[in-house]
Amino acid sequence: MAKWTAKHEAPAPLEGPVVATVTGGTIIWFAMFVVQLPFYGWFADRDLLWWVWCCAAGAFLGLIGLWYVRGRDAALKRHAAERADRDAEGSAG
């Protein structure tokens, strides 16, 4: 079996409002968890409790993701500021 090789370069990653996207997703997961709580017994009777806990896990993992993307965003801004400072010092000197 031959090794697969790419025929073209990988596209650049999309940049956008990542923090807002993760925040929105986390809020949606948490809202779905809260909406399902009054029906906990109904889900338990039908062996569908995984729906409730899947939403709770999504909200929890969203909080971890939010912590991660906020740190990433801060690091990218810090790096851009350092690069701008270096470029300003290089052109002035």
Side-chain angles (χ1 to χ4, degrees):
M1 198 149 128
K3 182 180 176 187
W4 180 84
T5 57
K7 293 183 170 80
H8 54 81
E9 291 292 320
L14 296 175
E15 292 295 332
V18 180
V19 175
T21 303
V22 174
T23 301
T26 303
I27 290 170
I28 290 171
W29 279 113
F30 183 72
M32 291 182 349
F33 171 71
V34 170
V35 166
Q36 290 178 354
L37 280 180
F39 304 101
Y40 190 86
W42 185 89
F43 285 109
D45 292 343
R46 289 160 180 77
D47 288 332
L48 296 174
L49 282 178
W50 67 271
W51 284 42
V52 178
W53 297 115
C54 181
C55 293
F60 176 72
L61 291 173
L63 291 175
I64 295 172
L66 186 59
W67 170 77
Y68 178 82
V69 297
R70 287 184 69 199
R72 178 184 178 271
D73 194 42
L76 289 174
K77 288 178 182 176
R78 195 170 45 249
H79 177 72
E82 289 171 1
R83 178 179 279 174
D85 287 345
R86 259 187 278 132
D87 291 346
E89 288 175 1
S91 63

